[in-house]
Amino acid sequence: MYLVLMMYLVLMMYLVLMMYWFGLLGEVCYNRSMKERMSELVKLLNRYAHEYYTADRPSVSDSEYDRLYRELVELEEKYPTDILPDSPTHRVGGKILEGFEKYPHQYPLFSLQDAFSREELMAFDQRIRKEFPQVSYICELKIDGLSISLTYEKGILVAGATRGDGSVGENITENLKRVKDIPLTLKEPLDITVRGECYMPKASFDAVNQLRQENGEPEFANPRNAAAGTLRQLDTAVVAKRNLATFLYQEASPTQAGSQEAVLNKLAALGFSVNPIHFLADSIDGVWKFIEKIAQERDSLPYEIDGIVIKVNDLAVQEELGFTVKAPKWAIAYKFPAEEKEAQLLSVDWTVGRTGVVTPTANLTPVQLAGTTVSRATLHNVDYIAEKDIRQKDTVIVYKAGDIIPAVLRVVESKRVSEEALEIPSHCPSCESELVHFEDEVALRCINPLCPAQIKEGLIHFASRDAMNITGLGPAVVEKVFDKDLVKDVAGIYRLSVEDLLTLDGFKEKSANKLYTAIQASKENSAEKLLFGLGIRHVGSKASRILMEKFHDMIKLSQASQEEISSIDSLGTVIAQSLHSYFEQEGSQLLLRELQEAGVNLDYLGEKVGADAALAGKTVVLTGKLQKLTRNQAKEKLLSLGANVAGSVSKKTDLVVAGSDAGSKLTKAQELGIEIQDEDWLDSL
């Protein structure tokens, strides 16, 4: 009996174990099949979305897409740990962002030089053909949107950012994930950074403004403003609803493609939305014909454009041509003529800038221009007023230069009501000093170094975001500290105490401490911020960075010769002369000492090159096609070795690194007896 009972218990345990095993196995199998189904749905839905939003060739009905989408949502709710990174459900809003972080671009995003006439395009073409007679151009539509960069790691979107100043933008990854034609994963597991334009289609713009009108909200002025406003929304649900779109056009990271046309084809193959309208031209006449054709078709396009971008098609030639401080030498943006409106001139205001230039601004009867109300427009300078023969109470044509800055274009002479000339000031409107009109300048200038307006404008510039970035020290506060005689120059900012700030109207303990903290924090900035903040003529933010990379600290720069500065690639004699003239002044040297005594950092805090580096102090020129390195990689390596990389060969050149198909630069180097090395030599260092 005991034996029978034991056998019964063993049998029951066996049955329980079998039931558990098969149940577990069933669950595993079930889970596996669900994972496979989720993966299948993600692939299907992403393919259908690409066909709909990018290729404009939908292969399934909206109802079928919705059915599959609902199935995926139900599975993801049941198995949240198995949600795939490229699931289309990530494009649905619901995430509320706290704000946007700064995003340093690994690969700088340059702006383009503008052209407004055929003559300017011809001049661009002539500059290119001096070095490359057989060059061809690719013409692309200039989309009126917001410039963005997208970074993928192993084919997965990890970061999306605005252009910002080209070096630092804003991280808007979550918002860009809600733009339906941006792939969350690529067709290949690549590490790549691409650049393009995010825009709002005309249909989306009309729908958004209709809804805002119904809700009693102010309407967007134009699609570009609408796109920019949408991408800066903290509620991702808003972004998802507004149906933004993109066109990608550049591989910002190093590419193996040989031409811009090949880049566009590659981006399209990877699943990006690429504008199919582009044109390859062998001459500037061909470029102009394309511009005229698009100008006729512009209004019928489903999106806004404001011009045509013309690029050298050969990427090796692009690298050879290189960059100026501000823009690539191998590209130009032709801007379509701006919208024009009539307005009556009411009066003219004259204002003094930080360099002493006195600028006239026209007060006008209000007009609607490019989606905004315009009542003020620049008259540029006294020579411009004379050239256009602008008189009292004239009716003038107003336009937005570059679709941004309102300006007076010309006078409508048939509507002239007065022959009285505009009154041109002879004395500074700020300090009453006599104004000077130099022969080689078009502007009136106040040359009084103690002019209050100049000092205040200089202080505002010094504290601005791109300079020392002193939060809270804006124009209104600068006006207060200057009028109270608390600050007379930029060094005076660092002598301000909390007690000084508490004497200002509107300042309490909290606001005073906050501004004082911001002032102290700015002392730690890298020296290129300080250099730009000094407001030296012709020395912008990019030139400041290049100078500090070369000289490492402000003291060394202040002691550098014109020749040393002008030898730096992309800077030249104008910047060199301006810097030399500035630092020659005793007042400038005194200011540096005062800043140093106040504890302001005068050193460059970026990557530095030692004096014992292999190519320290040598001027090197790159030419020809490189096989192992991209032009940028080669340039970065030369810079890391201490070299000054120049764009042209001269007697000052120490070394030329020549790749295959090297042309005139190699020939000139040989004629001058300059040392020549190849890519393998550079790679070995």
Side-chain angles (χ1 to χ4, degrees):
M1 185 69 181
Y2 177 76
L3 184 61
V4 172
L5 183 61
M6 288 298 294
M7 289 177 65
Y8 176 76
L9 288 171
V10 169
L11 180 63
M12 291 300 292
M13 287 177 66
Y14 176 76
L15 288 171
V16 169
L17 283 169
M18 291 298 290
M19 289 172 68
Y20 174 79
W21 172 252
F22 280 111
L24 186 63
L25 184 64
E27 188 176 341
V28 168
C29 292
Y30 183 74
N31 282 348
R32 186 177 294 161
S33 68
M34 288 302 98
K35 280 185 179 179
E36 289 172 353
R37 179 57 178 163
M38 287 166 74
S39 179
E40 182 186 7
L41 286 169
V42 167
K43 286 178 182 175
L44 274 174
L45 289 166
N46 282 340
R47 176 161 69 85
Y48 295 153
H50 177 77
E51 291 170 347
Y52 186 90
Y53 292 107
T54 304
D56 198 25
R57 292 192 303 272
S59 62
V60 296
S61 65
D62 289 353
S63 59
E64 175 64 9
Y65 181 92
D66 292 341
R67 184 184 68 78
L68 295 172
Y69 187 88
R70 284 195 300 273
E71 183 185 349
L72 178 61
V73 170
E74 289 171 4
L75 288 172
E76 289 183 345
E77 287 174 352
K78 196 171 182 179
Y79 304 100
T81 59
D82 296 325
I83 297 175
L84 295 168
D86 57 338
S87 170
T89 60
H90 292 310
R91 300 194 186 276
V92 180
K95 188 176 282 191
I96 305 297
L97 308 175
E98 293 182 2
F100 301 107
E101 298 175 347
K102 297 295 179 189
Y103 184 87
H105 294 293
Q106 185 180 358
Y107 307 101
L109 280 67
F110 283 84
S111 56
L112 294 177
Q113 175 193 345
D114 288 336
F116 297 93
S117 66
R118 182 170 183 172
E119 288 71 28
E120 288 176 275
L121 291 180
M122 290 172 69
F124 166 77
D125 181 53
Q126 287 165 6
R127 287 195 299 272
I128 301 291
R129 292 190 187 276
K130 277 183 184 177
E131 292 190 54
F132 299 95
Q134 303 304 314
V135 75
S136 62
Y137 301 109
I138 190 164
C139 307
E140 302 170 37
L141 305 192
K142 190 175 183 298
I143 308 300
D144 199 10
L146 196 72
S147 189
I148 60 167
S149 74
L150 304 171
T151 297
Y152 293 79
E153 292 178 2
K154 297 180 179 177
I156 298 171
L157 177 64
V158 295
T162 62
R163 180 184 175 275
D165 64 1
S167 299
V168 179
E170 286 185 312
N171 189 330
I172 55 168
T173 307
E174 289 301 324
N175 281 345
L176 288 173
K177 283 181 178 179
R178 274 75 186 176
V179 179
K180 297 179 180 65
D181 65 358
I182 293 178
L184 301 177
T185 58
L186 303 178
K187 294 179 180 180
E188 297 178 34
L190 298 177
D191 292 343
I192 189 174
T193 297
V194 297
R195 180 183 176 184
E197 205 78 8
C198 187
Y199 66 95
M200 184 173 282
K202 290 177 181 177
S204 301
F205 175 72
D206 292 339
V208 167
N209 266 354
Q210 179 66 36
L211 186 62
R212 291 178 73 84
Q213 191 181 56
E214 291 170 0
N215 294 335
E217 297 172 310
E219 296 178 38
F220 287 115
N222 49 58
R224 189 189 185 283
N225 287 354
T230 301
L231 286 177
R232 298 205 80 260
Q233 284 285 328
L234 297 178
D235 185 352
T236 58
V238 175
V239 185
K241 289 176 183 175
R242 287 188 179 170
N243 294 319
L244 297 176
T246 61
F247 284 127
L248 282 299
Y249 54 74
Q250 183 186 353
E251 199 173 345
S253 51
T255 180
Q256 298 303 313
S259 68
Q260 173 61 13
E261 190 175 34
V263 168
L264 295 177
N265 292 334
K266 177 182 177 179
L267 294 178
L270 287 171
F272 292 108
S273 181
V274 174
N275 198 323
I277 304 175
H278 51 266
F279 178 71
L280 199 61
D282 291 327
S283 68
I284 211 69
D285 289 335
V287 169
W288 189 251
K289 285 178 182 176
F290 179 73
I291 289 171
E292 289 182 318
K293 175 177 179 291
I294 296 300
Q296 295 293 318
E297 301 172 356
R298 180 183 178 187
D299 291 341
S300 63
L301 294 170
Y303 42 80
E304 294 285 353
I305 65 171
D306 59 355
I308 304 293
V309 176
I310 301 103
K311 304 172 185 172
V312 170
N313 188 42
D314 191 312
L315 298 192
V317 175
Q318 286 188 10
E319 289 187 351
E320 189 89 359
L321 289 165
F323 295 81
T324 67
V325 175
K326 296 180 179 179
K329 295 178 182 178
W330 42 265
I332 197 167
Y334 173 80
K335 305 294 282 291
F336 289 126
E339 182 185 8
E340 300 174 1
K341 290 285 182 67
E342 283 188 10
Q344 188 179 8
L345 177 63
L346 302 175
S347 62
V348 178
D349 293 334
W350 298 83
T351 54
V352 188
R354 61 182 173 87
T355 62
V357 171
V358 180
T359 304
T361 301
N363 295 304
L364 308 163
T365 53
V367 292
Q368 283 291 312
L369 202 62
T372 59
T373 302
V374 171
S375 58
R376 287 170 62 82
T378 182
L379 292 169
H380 300 291
N381 50 65
V382 288
D383 284 12
Y384 189 84
I385 291 171
E387 180 194 334
K388 301 295 181 182
D389 190 24
I390 302 171
R391 304 187 186 187
Q392 299 275 14
K393 299 181 182 179
D394 267 348
T395 297
V396 295
I397 300 296
V398 190
Y399 75 112
K400 278 193 175 181
D403 290 332
I404 299 172
I405 304 167
V408 171
L409 180 62
R410 65 178 181 275
V411 172
V412 183
E413 291 188 16
S414 61
K415 296 185 178 181
R416 175 164 282 167
V417 295
S418 171
E419 295 298 322
E420 188 179 353
L422 288 180
E423 187 177 348
I424 307 298
S426 59
H427 290 77
C428 176
S430 175
C431 68
E432 296 295 324
S433 297
E434 191 171 353
L435 297 176
V436 178
H437 190 186
F438 293 115
E439 286 185 12
D440 60 340
E441 287 192 337
V442 295
L444 283 175
R445 188 179 292 274
C446 173
I447 58 173
N448 175 17
L450 300 177
C451 173
Q454 290 182 61
I455 296 171
K456 283 188 279 191
E457 288 295 326
L459 291 169
I460 293 165
H461 171 75
F462 185 84
S464 65
R465 187 171 65 175
D466 291 337
M468 296 300 277
N469 193 23
I470 305 175
T471 305
L473 192 58
V477 177
V478 166
E479 187 88 30
K480 289 176 182 177
V481 295
F482 187 84
D483 290 347
K484 279 225 171 213
D485 208 27
L486 295 172
V487 172
K488 293 180 179 179
D489 58 20
V490 296
I493 292 171
Y494 297 100
R495 291 191 286 269
L496 286 169
S497 64
V498 173
E499 289 72 24
D500 289 331
L501 296 172
L502 286 170
T503 66
L504 303 177
D505 290 341
F507 269 75
K508 304 295 182 190
E509 191 170 344
K510 186 177 179 181
S511 54
N513 277 301
K514 191 175 179 181
L515 177 53
Y516 180 80
T517 302
I519 291 170
Q520 299 309 306
S522 74
K523 292 179 179 180
E524 307 302 319
N525 287 337
S526 187
E528 70 272 16
K529 293 276 195 180
L530 173 61
L531 178 58
F532 178 58
L534 292 176
I536 303 167
R537 287 189 75 193
H538 308 300
V539 182
S541 57
K542 287 187 173 67
S544 296
R545 179 178 52 78
I546 292 167
L547 285 159
M548 286 296 97
E549 284 175 350
K550 171 69 176 176
F551 293 100
H552 304 323
D553 69 70
M554 290 288 291
I555 303 300
K556 285 181 183 174
L557 175 62
S558 71
Q559 297 167 350
S561 68
Q562 277 188 226
E563 290 72 23
E564 285 180 280
I565 298 169
S566 62
S567 68
I568 301 172
D569 186 37
S570 77
L571 294 188
T573 57
V574 174
I575 290 174
Q577 287 169 356
S578 183
L579 278 163
H580 190 259
S581 299
Y582 178 84
F583 287 118
E584 258 192 338
Q585 301 173 58
E586 177 58 30
S588 300
Q589 296 295 330
L590 177 62
L591 180 62
L592 274 187
R593 289 196 294 273
E594 289 179 345
L595 288 167
Q596 193 171 28
E597 289 166 5
V600 177
N601 172 60
L602 304 186
D603 295 333
Y604 175 61
L605 302 180
E607 191 175 339
K608 298 176 184 176
V609 178
D612 58 346
L615 299 176
K618 291 195 173 185
T619 298
V620 182
V621 173
L622 283 164
T623 186
K625 294 180 182 178
L626 304 178
Q627 304 300 320
K628 297 178 181 179
L629 302 168
T630 67
R631 180 59 62 95
N632 283 336
Q633 288 170 333
K635 187 176 179 179
E636 288 299 319
K637 182 159 188 179
L638 287 168
L639 290 171
S640 70
L641 294 167
N644 168 36
V645 183
S648 58
V649 175
S650 71
K651 291 178 180 178
K652 297 176 183 177
T653 306
D654 298 299
L655 172 69
V656 170
V657 177
S660 60
D661 300 328
S664 59
K665 291 179 185 177
L666 177 60
T667 305
K668 189 171 181 180
Q670 290 168 336
E671 290 171 354
L672 293 172
I674 293 167
E675 181 185 354
I676 298 166
Q677 296 287 355
D678 59 15
E679 186 181 2
D680 289 334
W681 173 85
L682 177 60
D683 194 44
S684 69
L685 294 178

